[in-house]
């Protein structure tokens, strides 16, 4: 996804880097990229009213993730996380995320993760709720 332009994403989330994100090599440490992925997706879901992280009966568990790194990001950069849905299943969704540094036209990193929707009480998979599915469909790429 290195050549993926910003126009390939319907949703963006701006995430400011923090001083503590930098490692001894002077750039954001790789572990923070997964946090950016999680932040972008979950903020989207919470702001749109389909995810209640404290009391919702159904929540998404991350069961798979991956990331490719193309260029460094460092404090005080702002990461612009583009989010799209690559696959929308019965109880799971695969997100693709690209992280753009400041105004750069191409991503500094890109990756994916898969949410499986589960009933909070049992931790057993359940179908994606209709309202959530409808929202995720707005990010689906064909």
């Amino acid at each position: 996804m290195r050549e993926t332009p910003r126009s390939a994403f319907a949703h963006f989330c701006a995430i400011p880097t923090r001083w503590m994100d930098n490692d001894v090599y002077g750039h954001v440490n790789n572990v923070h990229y997964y946090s950016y992925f999680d932040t972008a997706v979950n903020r989207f879901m919470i702001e749109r009213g389909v995810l209640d992280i404290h009391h919702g009966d159904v929540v998404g568990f991350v069961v798979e993730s991956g990331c490719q790194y193309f260029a460094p990001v460092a404090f005080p950069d702002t990461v612009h996380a583009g989010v799209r849905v690559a696959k929308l299943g019965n109880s799971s969704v695969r997100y693709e995320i690209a992280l753009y540094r400041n105004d750069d036209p191409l991503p500094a990193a890109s990756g994916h993760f898969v949410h499986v929707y589960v009933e909070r009480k049992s931790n057993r998979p359940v179908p994606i709720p209709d309202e959530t599915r409808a929202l995720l469909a707005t990010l689906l790429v064909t």
Side-chain angles (χ1 to χ4, degrees):
M1 284 187 22
R2 171 62 179 144
E3 301 301 318
T4 306
R6 290 176 185 244
S7 60
F9 295 89
H11 174 74
F12 278 88
C13 174
I15 305 167
T17 59
R18 304 165 305 167
W19 173 254
M20 67 180 273
D21 294 346
N22 281 2
D23 60 19
V24 297
Y25 304 114
H27 60 265
V28 170
N29 188 272
N30 63 302
V31 300
H32 294 291
Y33 290 70
Y34 289 96
S35 174
Y36 300 153
F37 291 173
D38 212 23
T39 296
V41 169
N42 286 302
R43 181 185 292 169
F44 174 75
M45 305 293 276
I46 291 166
E47 288 177 350
R48 300 311 187 280
V50 298
L51 175 61
D52 180 344
I53 60 173
H54 300 292
H55 305 290
D57 293 332
V58 175
V59 295
F61 283 177
V62 176
V63 297
E64 177 186 329
S65 63
C67 185
Q68 293 182 300
Y69 307 92
F70 309 118
V73 173
F75 177 82
D77 292 333
T78 297
V79 171
H80 299 272
V83 178
R84 64 187 183 187
V85 170
K87 183 179 179 189
L88 188 54
N90 181 50
S91 62
S92 67
V93 57
R94 179 186 168 99
Y95 303 96
E96 292 180 343
I97 303 102
L99 304 178
Y100 297 85
R101 179 187 162 272
N102 300 322
D103 295 325
D104 290 353
L106 296 177
S110 66
H112 73 278
F113 75 84
V114 176
H115 263 159
V116 169
Y117 281 81
V118 300
E119 178 187 52
R120 186 186 297 264
K121 288 181 182 177
S122 69
N123 287 337
R124 301 295 306 156
V126 295
I128 297 170
D130 292 340
E131 187 177 343
T132 303
R133 176 176 295 286
L135 178 63
L136 293 173
T138 68
L139 300 180
L140 190 60
V141 293
T142 55

